Amino acid sequence: MKKQILLAEDDAMLASLLNYRLEKGGYEVVLKNDGKEVKDWLNQSLPDIIVSDIMMPYFSGIELVDYIRNDLKSTIPIILISSASNEENVLSAFEMGANDFISKPVSPSELLVRVSREISRVN
């Protein structure tokens, strides 16, 4: 059974690159490109791991972490990606309960390694 990744990224080029690489890595990818779509989808189903951009329309990655940890009471791994690698964002993401952080430009190979590491910690 393939592990399911929710990929939340509003940059279409990056999203398709990461989607391709994650699928080649053996994952089932659910791609959403704004925070509202992500939240609606999470109310129906929970993936094995979430990879989300911090800066997204409607609902930021930080708000997403807060929502998953506090509203949904879920401990699924969350990896955040962002070009705004200012320390404040990263720190508040970790304080909210994010598991990992990658700054853009994202190396798809590095992302695969980190996803695999977070998923293996859960199982």
Side-chain angles (χ1 to χ4, degrees), residues 1-2 20 25 27 37 47 56 98 105 123:
M1 173 106 180
K2 284 186 175 182
Y20 173 77
Y27 296 98
E37 281 183 14
M56 269 193 311
N123 298 329

Side-chain angles (χ1 to χ4, degrees), residues 30-79:
V30 174
L31 184 58
K32 300 293 175 196
N33 52 23
D34 71 51
K36 186 181 178 325
E37 281 183 14
V38 169
K39 198 172 171 185
D40 292 346
W41 190 80
L42 285 172
N43 286 323
Q44 312 302 313
S45 132
L46 282 180
D48 294 294
I49 186 167
I50 294 172
V51 176
S52 175
D53 192 355
I54 285 187
M55 308 301 249
M56 269 193 311
Y58 307 115
F59 200 63
S60 76
I62 309 250
E63 290 172 303
L64 179 64
V65 173
D66 182 47
Y67 178 71
I68 290 163
R69 297 293 183 247
N70 299 314
D71 292 272
L72 299 179
K73 305 278 186 248
S74 172
T75 58
I76 53 176
I78 302 169
I79 298 175

Side-chain angles (χ1 to χ4, degrees), residues 27 49 79 111-121:
Y27 296 98
I49 186 167
I79 298 175
L111 179 61
L112 266 177
V113 168
R114 290 179 184 232
V115 162
S116 153
R117 185 183 66 193
E118 288 304 330
I119 283 181
S120 65
R121 282 186 181 155

Side-chain angles (χ1 to χ4, degrees), residues 82-93:
S82 178
S83 47
S85 58
N86 66 40
E87 254 179 72
E88 213 171 288
N89 268 352
V90 179
L91 290 175
S92 54

